[in-house]
Structures are given as C-alpha cells and as structure tokens.
C-alpha cells in the first residue's frame, strides 16, 4: 500500500473482476482522470489553477510513467482547461483513451503486487489486494482532519457514488459530513467542474441521438 498514487488507490476501489471500470457510470472514468491530474500536480508536472491546467514539465517521474497517456492527451490540447480534458475523455469517441488509462494504471498495480491475476472460468480475473483495500477503507472511516490526501480520495469516491459500496451507512454519514465541509476545497470544485462538463456532454449526445 506504500506510496500508492491517487489514481492507483481510486482504481483499486472501482475496478471490476474483468480489470475494467463501469461503462454505465460515466463519473467513474471522469474521477479516475481527475485522480490522474492530481497525481501529476503532486509530482509538479502540472498545476491546477481553478479551471486552468498549467503544464510545468513534459517529463514524468519514474513512478508515474503509467500516466504518460494522460500527459500526452493534455499536451495535445489547444486549450488546457479541465472542461477540455472532460470533453476529450467524456465522449464515446474517446472510449479507447479511458481504457488505455485504466489498463496502464492496472498494470502498475499488478507490478506493485496490489492486483493479482487469477483464472476465472474461461477468462482472467483481476483481484485487488483485500488487505490494501481494507486499510484504505479504515483510513476513510477514521480520517484525521489533517489528512488531505484521504479527503481527496473520499471526494472522488463520493462524486462517483462508490463510497456506499465500501462504507456502512453510519460511518458514511460522518465521512460525507467531512466532505460537505470541504466543498470549497480546490479538488472538490475542480472535480465538480469536470463532472458538470460530463453532464453537459451526456445531455448533448442524448439530444443528437434523439434528433
């Protein structure tokens, strides 16, 4: 569990036995992208300034090489804003990009021995390390007010409706109260921006389909 990034932790919570994320819950993909952005910010590769994404470096540290596809996507955007990144990843035309991001983060977890591969009937099953997930859940349930990284993970899991899968109702109420208190935190506002853009995209695509 040592030194797992936001994106690695988030994928441990959201990956299914096929090693994929839900194709029905669009927010899971967007929050995974947000987790990757936060990892890049923490590594001083970029800076999230409100809705702006400011590139500081074109090079990734060795331990974040699995995010090279995300950095390449950002680098290729004319307008480097959170809405533009949501657009790039939020349409079905770019589904392959989300799959690539998931695949690369998953492979990094396999390498770190946080995900194991087992034979499941006629297919392969990807199993998150139960001990690590249990430690992360315990951290969320007993979160120190100064644990900003824990709060960030909680916000991402809440935004994508994943908390209820792992945390019992009473403990979840306490944690969600802490999340509400942090509504003005940059990560909360930036994740809301990304999700709002995704909501607009989904609505726009539905309109096009109807027409």
């Amino acid at each position: 569990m040592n030194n797992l990034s936001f994106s690695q932790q988030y994928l441990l919570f959201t990956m299914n036995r096929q090693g994929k994320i839900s194709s029905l819950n669009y927010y899971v993909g967007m929050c995974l992208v947000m987790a990757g952005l936060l990892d890049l910010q923490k590594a001083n590769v970029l800076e999230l300034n409100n809705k702006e994404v400011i590139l500081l470096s074109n090079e990734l540290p060795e331990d974040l090489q699995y995010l090279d596809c995300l950095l390449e996507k950002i680098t290729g955007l004319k307008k480097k804003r959170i809405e533009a990144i949501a657009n790039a990843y939020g349409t079905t035309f770019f589904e392959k990009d989300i799959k690539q991001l998931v695949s690369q983060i998953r492979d990094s977890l396999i390498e770190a021995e946080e995900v194991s591969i087992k034979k499941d009937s006629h297919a392969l099953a990807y199993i998150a390390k139960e001990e690590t997930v249990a430690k992360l859940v315990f951290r969320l349930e007993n979160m120190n007010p100064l644990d900003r990284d824990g709060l960030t993970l909680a916000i991402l899991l809440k935004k994508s409706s994943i908390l209820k899968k792992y945390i019992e109702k009473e403990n979840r109420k306490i944690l969600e109260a802490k999340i509400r208190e942090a509504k003005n935190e940059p990560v909360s506002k930036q994740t809301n921006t990304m999700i709002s853009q995704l909501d607009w995209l989904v609505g726009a695509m539905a309109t096009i389909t109807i027409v």
Side-chain angles (χ1 to χ4, degrees):
M1 177 178 162
N2 291 336
N3 300 320
L4 289 181
S5 68
F6 289 128
S7 52
Q8 288 175 320
Q9 292 176 58
Y10 184 78
L11 190 62
L12 283 176
F13 278 104
T14 55
M15 184 186 70
N16 59 28
R17 290 178 67 88
Q18 288 74 46
K20 303 175 182 179
I21 59 174
S22 173
S23 58
L24 300 177
N25 183 348
Y26 294 101
Y27 301 132
V28 173
M30 282 297 99
C31 286
L32 181 64
V33 172
M34 190 69 219
L37 291 175
L38 293 167
D39 287 332
L40 296 179
Q41 176 172 250
K42 200 171 184 180
N44 295 316
V45 175
L46 56 76
E47 179 185 346
L48 298 173
N49 184 5
N50 294 320
K51 297 181 180 181
E52 297 289 336
V53 180
I54 303 168
L55 278 180
L56 304 176
S57 172
N58 289 320
E59 294 186 8
L60 285 169
E62 189 63 32
D63 60 343
L64 288 180
Q65 287 299 312
Y66 53 87
L67 294 178
D68 63 348
C69 59
L70 175 58
L71 180 58
E72 184 179 344
K73 176 64 67 180
I74 297 168
T75 303
L77 293 174
K78 289 183 178 180
K79 292 185 177 181
K80 293 173 175 54
R81 295 175 61 84
I82 286 178
E83 299 97 322
I85 297 171
N87 284 342
Y89 279 99
T91 66
T92 54
F93 302 104
F94 292 94
E95 187 181 12
K96 63 181 178 64
D97 295 326
I98 284 286
K99 287 182 177 179
Q100 182 182 6
L101 182 61
V102 170
S103 176
Q104 292 186 189
I105 297 171
R106 184 187 66 214
D107 288 348
S108 75
L109 287 166
I110 294 170
E111 186 177 345
E113 299 183 350
E114 296 292 349
V115 168
S116 58
I117 306 175
K118 297 181 180 179
K119 200 101 183 236
D120 189 5
S121 297
H122 301 294
L124 294 177
Y126 295 83
I127 313 297
K129 191 174 181 180
E130 290 184 6
E131 180 185 356
T132 299
V133 174
K135 286 180 179 179
L136 290 171
V137 169
F138 181 84
R139 175 188 183 182
L140 293 174
E141 289 178 335
N142 301 275
M143 194 166 61
N144 185 305
L146 300 178
D147 185 0
R148 311 313 292 173
D149 287 355
L151 179 63
T152 295
L153 179 61
I155 288 170
L156 294 172
L157 292 170
K158 167 65 176 172
K159 296 292 183 186
S160 49
S161 302
I162 301 296
L163 274 183
K164 58 186 176 184
K165 180 179 177 182
Y166 291 93
I167 298 180
E168 296 295 331
K169 187 174 181 180
E170 290 307 312
N171 286 329
R172 196 167 69 245
K173 283 182 179 179
I174 297 171
L175 181 54
E176 287 176 346
K178 293 177 182 178
I179 292 172
R180 284 193 296 273
E181 290 172 5
K183 65 180 180 180
N184 291 322
E185 289 285 323
V187 61
S188 186
K189 289 183 175 181
Q190 289 156 353
T191 305
N192 275 336
T193 297
M194 186 166 282
I195 285 178
S196 295
Q197 186 68 13
L198 178 62
D199 284 336
W200 180 86
L201 277 172
V202 171
M205 286 189 290
T207 302
I208 292 169
T209 303
I210 293 170
V211 174

